[in-house]
């Protein structure tokens, strides 16, 4: 009777030795169904960073807040510091920035000529 546990253990080891000893690979993620579409997608272009933010004093003594973006193709204009911003875009660098509603801006961060709806045209300096 003393040898019975030994024989039982030996029988269990022999039955386990017949099993494949490769570790089982477990993953909690499912394969991405869009992986091939994402791999073949066109590269994404990031929006431009702000090159400079300036506050300009205009000829009618009002203030204009302008954010100039890198690439010289877009600016963001506000007539009040916490007011609504309007994005103006130029087709190419060096051309006037425009937006729907009658917005137009030309110039640099030091001096601009701007046309705003309801306010007309004015010149503003840093």
């Amino acid at each position: 009777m003393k040898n019975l546990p030994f024989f039982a253990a030996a029988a269990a080891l022999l039955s386990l030795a017949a099993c494949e000893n490769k570790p089982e690979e477990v993953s909690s993620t499912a394969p991405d169904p869009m992986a091939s579409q994402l791999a073949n997608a066109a590269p994404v272009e990031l929006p431009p960073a702000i090159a400079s933010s300036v506050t300009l004093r205009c000829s009618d003594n009002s203030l204009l807040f302008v954010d100039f973006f890198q690439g010289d193709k877009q600016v963001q204009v506000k007539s009040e510091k916490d007011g609504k911003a309007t994005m103006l875009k130029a087709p190419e660098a060096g051309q006037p920035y425009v937006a729907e509603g009658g917005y137009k801006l030309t110039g640099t961060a030091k001096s601009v000529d701007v046309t705003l709806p309801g306010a007309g045209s004015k010149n503003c300096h840093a």
Side-chain angles (χ1 to χ4, degrees):
M1 282 285 180
K2 288 184 177 184
N3 290 336
L4 185 59
F6 175 74
F7 288 119
L13 285 175
L14 283 174
S15 65
L16 288 175
C19 293
E20 201 172 319
N21 285 334
K22 290 183 181 176
E24 184 177 348
E25 203 171 302
V26 179
S27 175
S28 64
T29 59
D32 187 359
M34 295 183 63
S36 63
Q37 292 173 355
L38 293 172
N40 296 327
V44 176
E45 184 178 332
L46 295 174
I50 294 176
S52 64
S53 293
V54 294
T55 302
L56 305 166
R57 175 72 62 180
C58 298
S59 54
D60 63 355
N61 210 27
S62 64
L63 292 176
L64 188 68
F65 304 91
V66 183
D67 295 329
F68 289 88
F69 289 83
Q70 289 179 350
D72 298 328
K73 290 187 179 180
Q74 66 185 27
V75 295
Q76 188 170 308
V77 177
K78 296 186 288 186
S79 56
E80 297 175 4
K81 185 170 181 144
D82 296 327
K84 181 184 174 203
T86 302
M87 186 67 71
L88 286 72
K89 295 188 178 191
E92 291 186 23
Q95 294 186 354
Y97 304 99
V98 294
E100 290 184 21
Y103 290 91
K104 183 177 178 183
L105 185 138
T106 57
T108 65
K110 295 185 182 211
S111 176
V112 300
D113 290 315
V114 64
T115 303
L116 302 174
S121 181
K122 50 188 163 182
N123 185 277
C124 306
H125 297 280

